[in-house]
Amino acid sequence: MVSLNSRASGVSWGIKGSESAVVSAYVDGRYATDIVIPSDQPITRSFTLGHLKKGPHKLRFRFADDRSPQGARSSTTSRSGFTGRRAMRHSC
């Protein structure tokens, strides 16, 4: 389990077209999953990455402007923690 502290500039459920932002997670350069960021205020999102081979891995996040509503302008992320094996190197 990965926990990610996040927020997205311009996001508001009260404004049509600005309901959320999408951040894509990549493990070792390969797409793993999308994380929906529903607020412009700090919020923790948790998700799993599926099965990973034993050893170090690199985790990266990228604002997915192609999958985010037009009103979402950017996102800010920082790693909150990992549950389970601590076999990852990570960057945000």
Side-chain angles (χ1 to χ4, degrees):
M1 177 79 62
V2 177
S3 293
L4 177 72
N5 294 322
S6 62
R7 65 180 184 198
S9 177
V11 168
S12 171
W13 284 97
I15 302 171
K16 185 176 180 176
S18 298
E19 298 85 357
S20 64
V22 178
V23 172
S24 297
Y26 296 83
V27 178
D28 300 331
R30 292 188 174 145
Y31 171 81
T33 191
D34 284 332
I35 302 101
V36 175
I37 311 299
S39 178
D40 65 349
Q41 300 299 308
I43 185 169
T44 300
R45 306 296 290 172
S46 296
F47 56 96
T48 60
L49 295 170
H51 177 75
L52 296 173
K53 292 182 180 181
K54 186 177 179 178
H57 298 279
K58 186 173 185 177
L59 175 59
R60 301 201 70 173
F61 300 100
R62 183 186 67 83
F63 176 68
D65 56 352
D66 60 327
R67 290 186 296 287
S68 296
Q70 186 176 2
R73 297 183 299 270
S74 64
S75 64
T76 303
T77 59
S78 64
R79 181 185 55 89
S80 174
F82 294 104
T83 303
R85 293 185 199 164
R86 300 183 65 82
M88 274 193 183
R89 278 185 249 161
H90 44 271
S91 63
C92 296

